[in-house]
Amino acid sequence: MPKGAELVWRSVREQGVDTVFGYPGGAVIPLYDALEGSGVRHILTRHEQGAVFAAEGWARATGRAGVAIATSGPGATNLITGIADARMDSTPLVCITGQVRSNLIGTDAFQETDIFGMTLPITKWSRLVRGVEEIPEVMRRAFEIAQSGRPGPVLVDIPVDCLKAVAGELPPPPSPKTNAAAKAAAKSAAFPGVALSALLREAKRPLALVGAGVKLAGAVAPLRALLDRLQLPAGMTVHGLGAIAPEAGYNLGMVGMHGTRAANTALHETDLLLVFGARLDDRVTGDPARFAPAARIVHFEIDSSQLDRVRPAHLSIPGDLADTLPLCLEAIGRKPLPDWSEWRELACGPERAEMAASALSVPALQLLDELYALLPEDSYIVADVGQHQMWAAQRYRSANPRGFITSGGLGSMGFALPAAIGVQLARPNSKVVCIAGDGGIQMNIQELATIKRCSLPIKLLLVDNKYLGMVRQWQQLFYDRNYAETDLSDNPDFLALARAYGIDGERLQLDPGGPQGLPKNRGEMLRRMLDDPKPRLLLFECAPEANVFPMVPSGAALSEMLLQEQAKS
Amino acid sequence: MNPPILSQSPAADARLQAPPAGLDPQAPRRHRFEVRYRNEQGALLRLLNAISRRGLDFESVRAEADADAGRLTAIVGANPKHIAQICRDWRVMVDVIEVLQPIDLDREPEQAPRTI
């Protein structure tokens, strides 16, 4: 009969997961003892936070649940930021933690912590295993819940004695449940097609806003078909990037705090806003009371708790976008729609100008444009958190729906490097570029060792302004340039640090005499990085006081965004 | 008689968000919340956390379970926005069976349950 640890690995394999991320410790030794021969590849990170972010990266690239493993106590608590991150960004994640022996629980034993209780508010579901026989069913439910509905993190806490125990007779697996009945019910429920069509036909300035839900539902194709039919301006949240074909004439780019001028202006002026799988958080809406003030809102969303949370919708359409988007297309039918071409041109024209012109004023934007131009379509950008993240998002134009991965909701600095590890392992034949700042990179820099150990050809573009740049930007604009504790001018030598981990790289410095302030040979540097079969660092030393514009100040309306020229004056 | 079940209807939420005429929409009012849930690990704490994470204080809490389900009854002073948010959060929890329409005890004191 199998031991509990063997049942865990068997469950992981049965879910189709072949790669997990973790860090061993006392309470999970039996799990690692049973690893060999399990058919599961374990990636040893150098910190549990690295493991959980790597599992998130793997999950976001594949759409399946990532798995992170940690021991009890500090190992488990080190997972918490990643669990919260997965919760905010709807990432399917199964965290397996070791726990002290069952008879020691509650005695403040060595490395005991109530990880079950600590993570209740940030998990969809969790279980403290009470006997070895529970393991198969608990694991099955964990994966099912993590991946169903709005995806999210779950936690399975297993006392070490349950991992070591030999299972007796296991309860029979439950008869396979499908959610076919629920889906059929959802489909048969009256889709408000007539009401939706009426709203569209009355609209003079309709606009679509696309969020991560479209990708999570696997509904990018029906979304594109719908938008092609409607031909109305469409913007994306940071997690929606890639869902709209970049060449589409209705593409407005990114919306929100650092969205394009065109997208935010159009959002402020629209009279009908179709929201597809976006929860309308404050970084997207600005002041919610003044968000899309003239608009009636139609909200398509799988998570009904998000409906009417920020602004009441005129029409709420709960459900899986894979079901509701085709119904929407069907409801609109073949009848002619109003001619919105004038509005579309008015709304989208500035975006095209912005994409061309603003690149000339900020060298980082120019460099990103040139980097993106060199990347194949199936590449992945994994961005950390800060100014570089917003620059990377603003310039991102790719048709790869999962190609832009970042920590959006929680904004976890230190996310990108380990997440890129997960992405590269999930997509070994794709180019994976990690874009990080000099602040965030140092939060999980130990994972360079994991990259080296696994020979992962990750490309690291490190944007070094020797500041916590985004905080410094707020200090500059809203706190009278009081740069309190954001100066990182004593950064380590990143190239030497990378070399210490066995990773080569080179430095790209600004050249005031060069085109767009960049040296003439930057193209060669980018190509050297991308063509290197090994991991490689390109250290870009950007201007210390470069800023991200447009910017909607916190609490302001989208129409009150600051533009570069205004900020200068 | 049980209060009506709060359907997953945005219209119902809109009604919840609309304060009675003449009242300060932000003023907290005593409400009785009631929810049925599968009585499994952590379910009760998740329900209570949806209230406490908003900085609200419990006037009373009662939880009981039978073979089929658990039932939580809580009396909390909350404004209409909080009430709608709490009910929405509850409805999407894995172990929640049904969320009942909260009762405004300042308006309908005769329906107040006995508290423990």
Side-chain angles (χ1 to χ4, degrees):
Chain A
M1 298 300 285
K3 291 182 178 175
E6 293 164 332
L7 291 173
V8 172
W9 292 126
R10 189 185 294 179
S11 301
V12 169
R13 285 297 295 140
E14 282 172 1
Q15 294 295 329
V17 174
D18 60 6
T19 304
V20 302
F21 305 86
Y23 199 100
V28 284
I29 291 175
L31 197 56
Y32 283 87
D33 190 51
L35 175 62
E36 193 173 330
S38 67
V40 176
R41 181 184 186 191
H42 179 274
I43 303 300
L44 173 68
T45 57
R46 298 303 168 100
H47 191 289
E48 289 87 353
Q49 191 179 94
V52 71
F53 283 151
E56 269 202 89
W58 192 91
R60 293 199 201 187
T62 63
R64 290 182 284 141
V67 176
I69 297 168
T71 191
S72 63
T77 55
N78 280 340
L79 296 179
I80 288 178
T81 301
I83 295 172
D85 193 86
R87 171 76 166 194
M88 292 288 269
D89 286 349
S90 312
T91 306
L93 183 71
V94 175
C95 291
I96 302 170
T97 48
Q99 184 53 278
V100 300
R101 287 199 308 274
S102 299
N103 64 347
L104 290 179
I105 291 176
T107 66
D108 290 344
F110 176 67
Q111 291 194 333
E112 181 190 1
T113 193
D114 176 16
I115 193 65
F116 177 82
M118 287 178 185
T119 55
L120 279 172
I122 52 172
T123 49
K124 275 183 84 177
W125 182 85
S126 48
R127 276 292 177 273
L128 169 61
V129 170
R130 291 169 297 191
V132 62
E133 285 80 12
E134 288 184 3
I135 289 175
E137 174 59 6
V138 166
M139 292 295 293
R140 187 196 63 74
R141 285 196 71 193
F143 277 94
E144 181 186 43
I145 290 170
Q147 297 174 132
S148 60
R150 179 184 174 190
V154 303
L155 180 125
V156 179
D157 194 27
I158 313 179
V160 64
D161 52 299
C162 294
L163 291 171
K164 289 197 280 190
V166 175
E169 190 169 342
L170 294 170
S175 53
K177 285 183 198 166
T178 68
N179 57 0
K183 283 205 163 192
K187 279 185 181 176
S188 66
F191 182 82
V194 174
L196 178 61
S197 294
L199 285 171
L200 276 168
R201 287 173 211 290
E202 287 168 17
K204 302 283 186 291
R205 299 181 306 279
L207 186 142
L209 173 57
V210 178
V214 172
K215 305 177 190 180
L216 296 168
V220 170
L223 173 86
R224 290 180 180 173
L226 178 67
L227 294 180
D228 285 347
R229 168 82 176 96
L230 293 172
Q231 292 291 319
L232 45 76
M236 293 163 283
T237 68
V238 70
H239 286 314
L241 292 174
I244 299 175
E247 70 280 4
Y250 48 74
N251 186 353
L252 281 168
M254 186 171 73
V255 303
M257 181 173 273
H258 292 292
T260 64
R261 182 194 313 210
N264 286 344
T265 304
L267 257 173
H268 195 72
E269 293 177 0
T270 181
D271 63 356
L272 177 67
L273 179 61
L274 308 178
V275 182
F276 298 106
R279 58 188 173 85
L280 300 180
D281 82 346
D282 63 301
R283 286 297 191 264
V284 166
T285 63
D287 177 6
R290 290 183 289 162
F291 171 65
R296 292 192 279 190
I297 295 178
V298 179
H299 199 165
F300 293 72
E301 174 62 50
I302 195 167
D303 178 359
S304 62
S305 74
Q306 300 299 332
L307 296 169
D308 302 308
R309 184 182 286 265
V310 176
R311 269 270 302 275
H314 191 81
L315 189 59
S316 294
I317 305 183
D320 190 329
L321 284 158
D323 297 327
T324 54
L325 280 171
L327 289 172
C328 182
L329 193 55
E330 194 181 310
I332 291 162
R334 297 263 165 224
K335 287 183 192 167
L337 290 162
D339 179 6
W340 296 311
S341 56
E342 195 176 333
W343 155 242
R344 187 176 61 245
E345 283 310 302
L346 192 68
C348 296
E351 193 272 343
R352 289 190 279 273
E354 225 174 320
M355 281 301 286
S358 61
L360 302 177
S361 58
V362 179
L365 297 181
Q366 180 68 32
L367 189 72
L368 285 165
D369 277 5
E370 293 177 15
L371 168 68
Y372 289 167
L374 293 171
L375 288 171
E377 190 67 42
D378 66 345
S379 300
Y380 289 80
I381 301 297
V382 188
D384 209 72
V385 173
Q387 289 180 310
H388 63 279
Q389 174 194 32
M390 291 296 104
W391 284 327
Q394 286 176 335
R395 308 310 289 183
Y396 187 74
R397 294 292 183 277
S398 166
N400 179 4
R402 292 187 178 273
F404 190 85
I405 292 172
T406 192
S407 170
L410 196 66
S412 312
M413 288 173 67
F415 169 87
L417 188 65
I421 292 171
V423 174
Q424 187 73 78
L425 284 159
R427 297 286 178 258
N429 298 319
S430 294
K431 291 264 187 250
V432 177
V433 181
C434 170
I435 302 177
D438 49 318
I441 192 70
Q442 295 184 75
M443 289 197 173
N444 273 314
I445 200 163
Q446 76 285 347
E447 301 308 334
L448 288 175
T450 311
I451 290 172
K452 179 65 178 172
R453 180 189 182 102
C454 298
S455 302
L456 300 174
I458 291 169
K459 311 306 170 197
L460 175 56
L461 175 62
L462 179 48
V463 181
D464 180 9
N465 57 6
K466 298 176 177 54
Y467 272 114
L468 293 175
M470 187 59 90
V471 183
R472 187 211 53 74
Q473 176 171 337
W474 283 50
Q475 290 172 328
Q476 176 187 343
L477 297 175
F478 311 119
Y479 293 88
D480 200 21
R481 289 183 184 262
N482 178 16
Y483 295 164
E485 297 298 329
T486 45
D487 179 351
L488 298 182
S489 56
D490 54 354
N491 272 331
D493 179 341
F494 288 113
L495 288 171
L497 199 50
R499 272 197 297 277
Y501 282 105
I503 295 171
D504 286 335
E506 62 187 313
R507 190 183 313 270
L508 195 164
Q509 290 174 306
L510 292 173
D511 178 358
Q516 287 87 42
L518 292 164
K520 285 181 184 166
N521 63 344
R522 82 267 192 168
E524 294 158 34
M525 290 185 177
L526 287 171
R527 273 188 289 273
R528 260 199 299 278
M529 175 177 74
L530 295 176
D531 293 344
D532 195 332
K534 294 182 290 187
R536 190 172 175 89
L537 166 67
L538 182 58
L539 176 62
F540 171 49
E541 294 189 339
C542 87
E545 292 198 355
N547 284 334
V548 184
F549 290 109
M551 177 180 192
V552 179
S554 183
L558 294 184
S559 58
E560 295 167 341
M561 65 192 142
L562 298 175
L563 305 173
Q564 185 134 5
E565 51 269 35
Q566 291 170 327
K568 277 180 186 166
S569 64
Chain B
M1 197 172 95
N2 283 333
I5 295 169
L6 189 65
S7 69
Q8 296 208 354
S9 147
D13 284 345
R15 284 196 299 276
L16 277 175
Q17 286 182 337
L23 292 177
D24 176 359
Q26 294 307 315
R29 293 165 61 82
R30 293 174 69 242
H31 278 75
R32 189 181 77 184
F33 292 85
E34 200 163 327
V35 56
R36 289 182 62 234
Y37 58 97
R38 277 179 288 277
N39 188 28
E40 297 190 1
Q41 288 179 24
L44 178 60
L45 282 174
R46 280 180 216 276
L47 290 166
L48 295 174
N49 184 66
I51 294 173
S52 60
R53 70 174 290 201
R54 294 180 163 86
L56 304 175
D57 296 324
F58 295 95
E59 183 179 313
S60 75
V61 175
R62 180 187 178 108
E64 53 199 334
D66 58 27
D68 296 327
R71 179 184 294 268
L72 165 69
T73 308
I75 297 180
V76 177
N79 67 32
K81 185 178 173 187
H82 283 143
I83 294 166
Q85 287 179 348
I86 290 164
C87 291
R88 277 198 296 267
D89 283 359
W90 279 349
R91 283 199 306 253
V92 297
M93 288 182 183
V94 170
D95 290 318
V96 166
I97 298 169
E98 64 180 3
V99 179
L100 307 182
Q101 177 85 46
I103 294 172
D104 183 343
L105 298 176
D106 287 343
R107 186 191 283 178
E108 302 175 63
E110 71 280 5
Q111 293 191 45
R114 283 176 55 205
T115 56
I116 54 172

